[in-house]
Amino acid sequence: MADDHAAKAIGCYGAGINQTPNLDRIATEGMRFNHCYVTNSICTPSRAAILTGTYNHVNGVTTLETPIDNRLPNVAKHLRTGGYQTAMIGKWHLGEGELHQPSGFDFWSVLPGQGEYFDPVLIEMGKEVEVSGYATDIITDKSLDWLNQRNPDKPFFLMCHHKAPHREWEPHPQHRQLYQADIQTPETFDDDYKNRAKAAAQAKMRIKDDMTYADLGLVQPEGGSEVGERARDKSLRRKIPNPDDVSALRLIDKDTGEIFTFQSKAELSHFKYQRYIKRYLRTIASIDDSVGRLLDYLDHQNLSDNTVVIYTSDQGFFLGEHGWFDKRFMYEESFQMPFLIRYPRIVAQASMCDHVVCNVDFAATFLDLAGLQIPSYMQGNSFLSLLAGGPDGSWPDIAYHRYWMHRDPDHNAYAHYGIRNQRYKLIYWYNEGMGLPGTNHGGEDREWELFDCEKDPLELFNVYSDPAYQSVVIHMTRLLDKKMAEIGDEPAHSSPNPGHP
Ligand code: CA
């Protein structure tokens, strides 16, 4: 698993912005999912849903500030009880200390918090160790070391979780020169956020306005009253200006000292986007190398035929769509997770799945693949039948999303919840109503959005109030109500439709 890896930045998903031959191998030898979704598009909650097979209002990990209670059952505990050797290596991001560190794993070695790209500290079985090198390489080395020392007579479950391509996108030195030619800018890069709920215009996730010096590997020219390391760190976290007059702006590459100047605002925007996307894609090049090493290992050990290999990310990411970086929203780019799976015994080569699956389904699927019982507390469904191919008429094809962190100071992203099926997406923004039961239910401040994902895949036109879509609004609201009742999440909306039950 990677952190913040958008499907678009994997070769086999077809966007054509980068090459990932090793990740593509999983797809050509297995199955690519086109509609895998996250239940809460942010790191910590997604990881909790994956581990426990429950939604965030049940596992309690609703935000970045709510660490997991590691006494909860999780998929690793079930697999270990079922005879598996288990390991968790790399990005954990579910909390630290006795009650929040990994549990259910025979071996664990994890980055504290977000972790560092270079010379990271790891917490290994409760002890701090510092390892020199590049995080993606180190996580891969440790994964291979663990595989080598395992008992070959017992099955194994390894979670190899990379930090990359998370902000602040520090590439390995050997990949710093990759992607010299410009990457195509998405067609919604200059989105004006008309026809949408106000959250889109309010979010502070814009490449033009909200990138920091550190994000883009830049430093400010010398000067100012502050000196020393602390001042330097503070200045790196400062946003790069986006002034109307760019003539005085000078940006300096932190590694080479190269100085950049600009003739126009458009030129500055272009520079920021290219700098961002190239740094992001360069960190993915290292992940691709890592996946190649793991696949080669399985080949050399004659394990490929009998091992399920999955590549995914904790959520998607905006790569300039709507002018944004980051995630959090139920809009498609951050809502969709890449999901590739290879398992020659069941999964046909170069197959594709268009059914709607979610990260909350992973744990049940893992247990099903292992031939173990799926415990009744899990809320996700095993999609083993979809892996075997062919249509499944009984599969629900519904994804529920709820983002709880209302207007955090860094991103100002609004809390919301909603539902997507194959065709439509319904989103409820409770805005200052906070969505708490017993509050004003969002009151007049609330907003609904409905997108026709077939006719409007870029999600530029909210058709919630369009008379032509009123029967769809009613249908989707019923699906949402039914889903919330099924999983026990409390709605903050009152019935918006006349005649609605
Ligand atoms: Ca993430």
Side-chain angles (χ1 to χ4, degrees):
M1 187 159 86
D3 192 343
D4 295 357
H5 194 168
K8 189 180 154 182
I10 297 179
C12 68
Y13 275 94
I17 60 169
N18 64 334
Q19 292 85 44
T20 53
N22 293 298
L23 291 169
D24 295 354
R25 242 185 94 186
I26 306 175
T28 52
E29 295 168 9
M31 183 179 270
R32 178 184 110 194
F33 279 72
N34 293 327
H35 294 287
C36 181
Y37 295 105
V38 66
T39 56
N40 183 352
S41 185
I42 192 86
C43 298
T44 308
S46 172
R47 289 159 197 275
I50 289 169
L51 267 186
T52 62
T54 59
Y55 289 88
N56 296 140
H57 64 282
V58 171
N59 59 47
V61 186
T62 50
T63 72
L64 292 176
E65 310 302 328
T66 50
I68 198 165
D69 180 338
N70 64 15
R71 295 165 294 189
L72 290 173
N74 69 39
V75 69
K77 293 180 185 179
H78 295 296
L79 285 164
R80 188 154 75 164
T81 308
Y84 275 69
Q85 302 162 86
T86 57
M88 162 74 227
I89 295 166
K91 181 89 176 252
W92 169 249
H93 207 199
L94 282 161
E96 284 149 43
E98 208 172 319
L99 286 180
H100 311 299
Q101 67 194 21
S103 65
F105 297 97
D106 297 314
F107 176 76
W108 53 274
S109 183
V110 299
L111 299 164
Q114 297 286 8
E116 298 290 334
Y117 271 108
F118 290 101
D119 303 333
V121 169
L122 292 154
I123 313 290
E124 190 162 302
M125 305 296 283
K127 292 198 172 59
E128 224 174 79
V129 290
E130 194 179 328
V131 188
S132 56
Y134 186 63
T136 307
D137 293 341
I138 291 165
I139 292 163
T140 310
D141 292 343
K142 284 192 173 286
S143 296
L144 288 168
D145 288 348
W146 182 77
L147 286 170
N148 268 321
Q149 63 75 53
R150 80 190 194 283
N151 177 353
D153 299 326
K154 284 173 71 180
F156 64 90
F157 173 65
L158 166 64
M159 300 187 100
C160 171
H161 286 191
H162 289 296
K163 169 190 172 57
H166 192 277
R167 192 178 195 174
E168 290 144 338
W169 312 298
E170 288 289 348
H172 190 289
Q174 78 185 48
H175 292 133
R176 279 181 191 155
Q177 301 306 315
L178 272 181
Y179 305 112
Q180 289 298 308
D182 278 357
I183 310 282
Q184 199 184 346
T185 310
E187 52 186 306
T188 58
F189 186 72
D190 294 311
D191 195 348
D192 58 9
Y193 313 115
K194 281 182 187 149
N195 317 309
R196 250 77 47 75
K198 67 180 173 192
Q202 292 297 320
K204 293 190 177 129
M205 315 195 309
R206 297 186 77 197
I207 292 167
K208 290 176 189 174
D209 298 311
D210 301 310
M211 284 271 169
T212 66
Y213 285 87
D215 284 337
L216 299 187
L218 298 166
V219 290
Q220 292 173 297
E222 295 294 332
S225 56
E226 294 177 287
V227 288
E229 273 297 303
R230 183 173 291 188
R232 187 184 139 85
D233 283 355
K234 204 171 127 198
S235 74
L236 288 178
R237 282 196 295 274
R238 222 165 262 158
K239 289 179 179 178
I240 303 166
N242 185 23
D244 286 330
D245 177 6
V246 296
S247 59
L249 187 64
R250 293 163 80 242
L251 300 174
I252 303 169
D253 186 290
K254 78 175 167 69
D255 296 317
T256 66
E258 188 181 352
I259 297 170
F260 303 98
T261 57
F262 308 92
Q263 304 294 323
S264 67
K265 246 180 119 108
E267 196 190 335
L268 175 61
S269 296
H270 180 79
F271 171 84
K272 286 180 178 175
Y273 174 69
Q274 293 299 329
R275 187 99 183 166
Y276 158 55
I277 192 71
K278 289 177 184 176
R279 284 167 64 81
Y280 178 89
L281 295 177
R282 286 166 188 154
T283 69
I284 289 168
S286 289
I287 297 179
D288 192 65
D289 293 345
S290 160
V291 169
R293 289 175 65 199
L294 290 172
L295 293 177
D296 288 347
Y297 176 87
L298 295 178
D299 281 348
H300 295 147
Q301 300 287 318
N302 291 320
L303 289 166
S304 295
D305 200 44
N306 195 34
T307 302
V308 181
V309 178
I310 293 167
Y311 185 81
T312 187
S313 166
D314 58 348
Q315 8 70 208
F317 213 66
F318 293 103
L319 302 180
E321 299 88 359
H322 307 289
W324 292 326
F325 62 100
D326 217 80
K327 53 250 182 181
R328 298 160 199 277
F329 284 152
M330 202 181 158
Y331 301 127
E332 200 70 3
E333 293 84 1
S334 61
F335 186 29
Q336 186 198 355
M337 308 167 80
F339 191 90
L340 308 173
I341 180 165
R342 185 185 79 175
Y343 186 34
R345 292 194 172 185
I346 292 179
V347 181
Q349 289 195 5
S351 51
M352 260 195 280
C353 184
D354 282 317
H355 282 287
V356 174
V357 300
C358 302
N359 63 342
V360 77
D361 298 323
F362 294 180
T365 306
F366 296 171
L367 293 174
D368 212 6
L369 279 163
L372 297 172
Q373 191 188 341
I374 300 166
S376 58
Y377 76 83
M378 285 190 181
Q379 297 178 297
N381 301 308
S382 165
F383 51 84
L384 182 57
S385 64
L386 302 181
L387 298 177
D392 182 337
S394 65
W395 186 256
D397 279 316
I398 282 171
Y400 174 73
H401 183 270
R402 185 165 191 168
Y403 178 74
W404 298 74
M405 293 170 63
H406 188 59
R407 302 189 69 179
D408 75 294
D410 288 336
H411 307 85
N412 201 40
Y414 281 43
H416 60 280
Y417 58 73
I419 200 156
R420 190 206 202 282
N421 66 6
Q422 289 275 13
R423 173 80 187 261
Y424 301 104
K425 185 183 292 181
L426 178 73
I427 311 176
Y428 179 63
W429 303 89
Y430 37 92
N431 297 338
E432 304 310 330
M434 298 301 289
L436 301 172
T439 63
N440 68 358
H441 296 282
E444 290 170 8
D445 195 31
R446 76 182 180 199
E447 291 173 285
W448 290 89
E449 285 186 318
L450 178 74
F451 294 101
D452 184 334
C453 304
E454 197 177 289
K455 288 191 176 163
D456 177 27
L458 301 179
E459 299 172 317
L460 296 174
F461 300 97
N462 174 16
V463 293
Y464 187 82
S465 299
D466 184 334
Y469 282 91
Q470 289 321 291
S471 63
V472 178
V473 166
I474 290 169
H475 176 67
M476 292 303 289
T477 311
R478 282 185 182 149
L479 282 183
L480 175 66
D481 287 345
K482 193 169 158 235
K483 188 70 188 174
M484 292 186 92
E486 175 199 315
I487 63 176
D489 199 0
E490 290 187 273
H493 63 276
S494 47
S495 186
N497 306 307
H500 178 68

